Amino acid sequence: MNDQNFDNKNTSFSYLESRPLHIGASVPRLDAYEKVTGKEKYAADYYGENLVWAGVKRAGVPHAVLRGIDFSSAVKVPGIVRVLTHEDITGSNRQGVIRKDQPVLVNDKARHCGDAIALVLADNKESLKEALDLIVCDFEPLPGVFDSEQGLRNGAALVHEDNADGNRLLKGEIKTGSGSDAYKECDVIVEACFQTQSQEHAYLETEAGWARLLANGKLEIVCSTQTPFRDRMEVAEALGLDPTLVRIIAPYPGGAFGGKDGVTVQTLLGLAALHSGGRPVKMWWNREESFVSGTKRHAALMYYQLGAKADGTLHFLDVRLYFDTGPYDHLGGVVLTLALEHAGGPYRIPNAQLTGWAVYTNNPIGGAFRGFGVTQVTAAVEQVMDMLAQKLGMDPVKLRLKNATKRGDRSCVGKTMVCSNGLVECLETLSKHDLWKQADDWKSSAGPFKRRGVGIAAAMQGSGYGPVVPDYANAKVELTSDGKIRVYCGVVDMGQGNASTNLQIAGSILGQESGQMELVLPDTDRTLPSGSASASRCTYTFGNALIGAAETLKQRILQRAADLFMASGPHEMALIPGSVRHLPTGREVPLFRLVKFFQDSERIAVHHFRAPVAADNIGVSPEIKLHGLPHTLFSFGACLAAVEVDELTGAAEVKRFLAVSDCGKVLNPQIYQQQIHGGIAQGLGYALSEKLEVEKGRILTTGFSTYIIPTASDVPEIDSIAVEIYEPTGPFGLKGVGEIATNGPLPAVANAVADALGIRVFESPLTAERILEAFASNGRQESSI
Amino acid sequence: MKIAFRLNGKQIHIDAAPDRRVVDVLREDLGMTGTKESCAAGDCGACTILVDGESRLSCLMLAVQLEDRDITTIEGIAEGEQLHPVQNAFVEHGAVQCGFCTPGMVLASVDLLNRNSAPSRDQIREGLSGNLCRCTGYQMIVDAVEAAAEELRDRQES
């Protein structure tokens, strides 16, 4: 690794059995081979000779003025290379995507327990730990803000004194139709308040990276990230460097789910490498540090009123959302805005008053997490839909079908839905499934002290960046000098499988099998800027760019081969694995020979794609528009949870789960199902067991023995059905599948518990304690049916 | 101290502090980064290795405990380019996503199938419940272990 000529590798698949790469086929993921043998090198796997270990002294207090840092004892520990503080940073010392409000190293005050105070460089892990323990911070404690509603009140402690809006990061307000006045025109109104918790991403690979400063001044950072191109700019600005001298290399992350959408270790590593005397530097947060310092799904408080006509036609929605964004703008305003856009679910609701606040607090940082605000509001709206169905005496599927948006309808923010919309097909497929049709039989066969319920939920998920921030990708495909096809991936594959799908797309267009393909993972020096791995956009946006690049290269190859064969044109030529064939005569030229007739400049094709945006002006403020509202492309889904509750313990167990989703055409059924299954498992953890205990800004659950993510025994058998509606703007008709599945489990489970017990638990996760308490306070007899 | 043990079929000698964690011996001293570390507390199974054929957590094992043992890591279960049936089934059945739990999950599955050659789906789920995965929802891992069990039984018979 200390080789000055170190280069990000090209992955070849020629040693494997070559496979055809057809669109629509379940081609096993090409990254799986190296992962299953332990050969794949993650950011956490970089070491090297003469390595320096870098570690961070964390604040450990939620809100306090930093009066001084005493590291005089720490520097005396044998093996310590340097101790760095904010005084060693020559750049802005600020990070963030929209508001740059997070210090790399604290210079004024700590705003949450995970704030970085000092950076220690050591020869080994043992010295590093000892030195970190010896650093003493002189803090003057400040009163904190630990509740988003309270944070908005007059007199609340201020997290950022320089923010003109107090603790308000963003307020969003949307009114459609006659807004709240439509209340009077309803025959039925239901009202509820829901509270959803912070959720930990809990990726298996904690935040990790490796960096070095080359003699020519270039800073190379290998890191576990979703956003290499954005990281480069953030690192450069925070450290005062020329961005062209920063190179970010992004191996496959060991999971990310939104928690690596932005800087984690990158700037700290860069700073360390600037002071390590040319030695390579490694940083790898331990699990506790990942819990304390990493971002979380925003905890949310959501007040809902939903009104309908007597026949079940939705007429009015009033929503107030309070999102706890913690101390820094880790996309909190964007998360809130997406929540507002989806607050009414995938339904036609002509009159709406939607208001939301993203609020600064001294709790852990709220940030991006698969679903991105949609998960919270879906939990709320899908439960009030069931409450409404009950009040109307209507079947919950029929109520949803009656109000489901179709293409051409307006969403609850007044946006005309122009993309393909398979919501009705999803709901109808669900209603014809045995798990729904035979629900009554299943429920009535519960054993002693058990009660069973079946709940459903529908969802939609917008994809991409919205109307202002350009959602683009630049694909690059190369015919290598030895006749292989090399795909340069600009978007990170954090596990969702897009790198392999990219090979499938390029391979299918260029007629090549896996053995002829090569892959380059994202690298700011080798691949082209293509945005973040987020927002269900990866294969939609990059795939569209890749089709353009692969088609260009294909035409170039066919034309050159036609010229060689003196054929009448490229239409007489066809690409086959490893060769080009002249169709009228059957003669072939292998690609490794044909490439000799290419100049280097011709061997590479690039193509830029920018995702379409909403054309309609729905009258929202420029600020809300900047934060991404409205979207134009949506995926849809409906799901069902069959739940058994133990009357004695309150424990709820999901016995079966059904998901029906419209994510457009499926390019690879196996990868599609992986995304659906994984989203459901995370959603079930959110529904039942993942309870981040936070007491006055301190996380009490900092490991997997106290923060319980689902195991193989906790996730039921899942039925997943794709409703494949062709999306005309998508690559081969595809829409995003990354997030939709994670939205339905919580409301479906909550609706199933309500169905089983006749009571509703309004706060998630639905732990045994909460269910038992609700059950007991409701009175056993009263709730008996 | 000097420690002698078998690693992936080869006898080796190392010089390590007796209280050095085995996961550090493997990853840092021997450069075998296929063994992953995720929680360092015995909660997640990412650092699973086989000790005398049985799954153990290398983050909770000390170097001195390696003496005279037969250790298998993820690097040691394929035969050359020929994947172990469990590895092959993980690839074919979509059991791999981000892949960070995969080495531990594969070795835990090998151990499970050594103890039970025809496990039910519930037994597979229970047998792997010490290995956390955040990506897959486990269903395709269960599919893969079922398929590998069948393949291994077929090989046994033939």
Side-chain angles (χ1 to χ4, degrees), chain A residues 270-283:
Chain A
L271 178 63
L274 295 178
H275 294 89
S276 67
R279 294 166 66 183
V281 185
K282 181 181 179 72
M283 179 182 283

Side-chain angles (χ1 to χ4, degrees), chain A residues 578-594:
Chain A
S579 297
V580 181
R581 182 176 289 164
H582 182 231
L583 296 172
T585 62
R587 287 186 300 152
E588 289 175 13
V589 55
L591 286 170
F592 70 81
R593 285 189 61 81
L594 183 66

Side-chain angles (χ1 to χ4, degrees), chain A residues 657-692:
Chain A
F657 200 92
L658 166 68
V660 190
S661 318
D662 162 31
C663 304
K665 296 297 279 184
V666 174
L667 304 198
N668 182 323
Q670 190 178 76
I671 294 177
Y672 167 89
Q673 297 297 4
Q674 289 181 331
Q675 284 299 293
I676 298 290
H677 290 176
I680 290 167
Q682 281 179 349
L684 290 175
Y686 185 52
L688 290 170
S689 64
E690 294 183 33
K691 191 174 180 209
L692 194 80

Side-chain angles (χ1 to χ4, degrees), chain A residues 15 19 28-29 31-33 35-40 42 44-45 47 53 125-126 199-206 253-255 257 282 284 287 369 494-495 670 673-675 677-679 681-682 690 703-705 707 709-713 715-718, chain B residues 20-21 24 27-28 33-40 43-44 46 74-75 77-78 80-81 83 86-88 90-103 106 121-122 124-126 128-140 142-143:
Chain A
Y15 67 97
R19 294 179 189 263
R29 291 170 57 146
D31 55 328
Y33 295 90
K35 289 175 173 175
V36 86
T37 50
K39 288 179 189 156
E40 188 59 53
Y42 297 80
D45 295 332
Y47 293 89
W53 287 84
K125 286 192 285 189
E126 293 72 26
Q199 187 180 19
E200 176 76 6
H201 300 86
Y203 20 74
L204 271 278
E205 183 199 34
T206 51
F257 316 116
K282 181 181 179 72
W284 191 1
R287 181 59 60 186
F369 193 147
M494 50 192 164
Q670 190 178 76
Q673 297 297 4
Q674 289 181 331
Q675 284 299 293
H677 290 176
Q682 281 179 349
E690 294 183 33
F704 293 143
S705 58
Y707 183 85
I709 68 170
T711 71
S713 295
V715 181
E717 295 289 335
I718 295 165
Chain B
R20 189 157 173 77
R21 299 183 313 158
D24 296 331
R27 291 178 54 85
E28 297 175 21
T33 55
T35 302
K36 303 304 180 195
E37 180 175 349
S38 174
C39 75
D43 296 326
C44 78
I74 193 65
E75 290 91 346
I77 65 162
E81 301 270 287
L83 297 180
V86 171
Q87 290 174 308
N88 193 52
F90 267 57
V91 172
E92 294 294 324
H93 291 268
V96 180
Q97 291 192 35
C98 90
F100 211 75
C101 75
T102 303
V106 165
R121 289 182 73 85
D122 279 349
I124 295 170
R125 286 179 181 278
E126 198 190 327
L128 298 180
S129 62
N131 289 70
L132 297 176
C133 168
R134 192 57 158 166
C135 294
T136 63
Y138 302 103
Q139 187 151 313
M140 291 195 227
V142 179
D143 295 345

Side-chain angles (χ1 to χ4, degrees), chain A residues 225-287:
Chain A
T225 180
Q226 296 171 236
T227 47
F229 288 91
R230 203 170 74 207
D231 295 352
R232 173 172 64 175
M233 305 309 282
E234 280 204 68
V235 169
E237 190 178 340
L239 298 182
L241 304 173
D242 173 353
T244 63
L245 289 177
V246 178
R247 178 185 184 186
I248 306 281
I249 298 163
Y252 294 116
F257 316 116
K260 296 170 184 171
D261 184 344
V263 165
T264 57
V265 296
Q266 292 87 322
T267 317
L268 293 161
L269 265 174
L271 178 63
L274 295 178
H275 294 89
S276 67
R279 294 166 66 183
V281 185
K282 181 181 179 72
M283 179 182 283
W284 191 1
W285 295 0
N286 64 33
R287 181 59 60 186

